[in-house]
Amino acid sequence: MKIKYRIEDNVLMSSLKKEYGIQAESIHFIPVGDSAYSYWVNCGNGERYYLKLFNYQNDRQRRSIERLQHYLPLTWSMYHNKLFQNLTFPIKTLMGEFEIHVGNITIVLFNFIEGETLADAYPFSKDILIEIARSVASIHRMTPYIDHTMLLTETFDDGA
């Protein structure tokens, strides 16, 4: 999203404190992507997080919200079971949930990975393409170790 969602930063920070126990000092909008609004969160203790905000009023984002029930437990499991460490994974709330709801939005908090994003790196160098290929191969090799009940089956049915 290129324009920040219409919510005050203090509302987001108070939600993070209440639901995650995280004392955010500042929140910064990241004007990229189209499946959600993106922010980075700075805490007083030096920790940083990546926050995705999904708006129920947006059709594309609503479809993304529906996929969270598969995507969030899967990525959390991949990371915490040490199947794939080079990914961003959701941070659970104090109640053990992967997401919170504030009015017409869903918020998901992730670990923050420092560095250049693929969007920043385009066009890709040969070294980046090699790393992407290695990561994809690693994901394919872990398939036997993933709880298949977490996986989303794609029907490729566009509803038409």
Side-chain angles (χ1 to χ4, degrees):
M1 310 314 291
K2 302 295 182 203
I3 299 171
K4 184 177 174 180
Y5 183 76
R6 62 190 184 288
I7 190 170
E8 296 294 325
D9 289 351
N10 63 346
V11 172
L12 291 175
M13 290 190 291
S14 129
S15 297
L16 293 176
K17 183 175 183 179
K18 176 184 174 193
E19 301 291 342
Y20 291 92
I22 291 172
Q23 185 63 49
E25 283 197 344
S26 62
I27 295 183
H28 306 273
F29 177 64
I30 305 169
V32 296
D34 58 1
S35 67
Y37 295 88
S38 296
Y39 300 81
W40 85 77
V41 178
N42 289 324
C43 298
N45 61 3
E47 290 181 343
R48 293 178 84 186
Y49 297 93
Y50 174 62
L51 182 148
K52 288 182 94 172
L53 184 154
F54 299 87
N55 176 6
Y56 286 98
Q57 306 299 318
N58 179 297
D59 289 339
R60 184 178 202 142
Q61 291 184 35
R62 195 171 43 253
R63 286 191 299 274
S64 293
I65 292 167
E66 293 167 4
R67 292 185 187 104
L68 292 177
Q69 66 182 324
H70 297 283
Y71 165 70
L72 297 176
L74 177 61
T75 54
W76 189 91
S77 175
M78 288 167 55
Y79 182 83
H80 287 88
N81 290 323
K82 301 192 183 323
L83 295 174
F84 193 66
Q85 298 284 285
N86 191 24
L87 83 157
T88 189
F89 58 88
I91 306 297
K92 288 186 178 183
T93 67
L94 295 172
M95 300 299 292
E97 302 294 327
F98 288 116
E99 60 194 65
I100 63 173
H101 307 278
V102 179
N104 287 330
I105 61 172
T106 292
I107 295 171
V108 181
L109 194 65
F110 297 89
N111 63 312
F112 187 88
I113 299 175
E114 292 286 344
E116 186 177 49
T117 67
L118 288 179
D120 296 332
Y122 190 80
F124 304 135
S125 68
K126 181 178 178 180
D127 289 341
I128 290 175
L129 289 173
I130 289 169
E131 285 305 311
I132 292 170
R134 284 184 178 141
S135 293
V136 170
S138 176
I139 291 169
H140 282 278
R141 282 192 302 271
M142 78 177 75
T143 303
Y145 307 103
I146 293 176
D147 177 358
H148 290 244
T149 62
M150 286 191 232
L151 300 178
L152 178 63
T153 302
E154 178 59 65
T155 63
F156 299 101
D157 179 10
D158 64 2

